[in-house]
Amino acid sequence: MPRLDGIAATRKLIENDPALRILIVTTFDADQYVFEALRAGASGFILKDSSPEQLVVAVRLIAAGNALLAPARPRRLIEAQVRQRGDGPDARRARPFQTRRALSCTGGGGRL
């Protein structure tokens, strides 16, 4: 975009009308970009290489008041938050994928 990037444009639009629902459609698949877009007020985030069907579903979901993240994005965001928070008790509770993997390596019920 010539004058503003998508995040700056989102921020300005939301400042003028907080009820707007904005779907970011982008080529950028970086966690930091997603965080910034959500902080700016975007309701959803999807990649430009998504299928036409996925784009239609995304627009409908956002228009209906829901939130949306591109497929595979939620797990990456959760993992990024866990890494950011460290290894305290709350972080350990937020790692169900790693816990399941560890339990399966012990036969499902062994001691870790």
Side-chain angles (χ1 to χ4, degrees), residues 5 7 11 13-14 18-19 21 27-28 31 35-36 47 52 55-57 61 68 80 94 101 103 108 112:
D5 64 23
I7 292 172
R11 194 173 289 116
L13 288 166
I14 293 296
R21 307 290 298 165
T27 59
F28 300 110
D31 292 339
F35 289 132
E36 289 179 31
L47 297 174
L55 289 170
V56 168
V57 168
L61 284 169
L68 174 83
R101 190 176 317 125
L103 288 173
L112 297 178

Side-chain angles (χ1 to χ4, degrees), residues 6-76:
I7 292 172
T10 298
R11 194 173 289 116
K12 280 189 155 293
L13 288 166
I14 293 296
E15 285 173 4
N16 289 328
D17 186 355
L20 280 178
R21 307 290 298 165
I22 297 173
L23 175 65
I24 300 287
V25 182
T26 184
T27 59
F28 300 110
D29 188 24
D31 292 339
Q32 189 58 35
Y33 188 79
V34 177
F35 289 132
E36 289 179 31
L38 295 174
R39 280 189 213 112
S43 302
F45 181 92
I46 194 164
L47 297 174
K48 285 184 180 180
D49 65 357
S50 298
S51 72
E53 294 81 12
Q54 288 173 318
L55 289 170
V56 168
V57 168
V59 169
R60 288 181 177 157
L61 284 169
I62 297 302
N66 296 301
L68 174 83
L69 293 175
R73 176 60 54 194
R75 181 175 177 176
R76 285 176 51 191

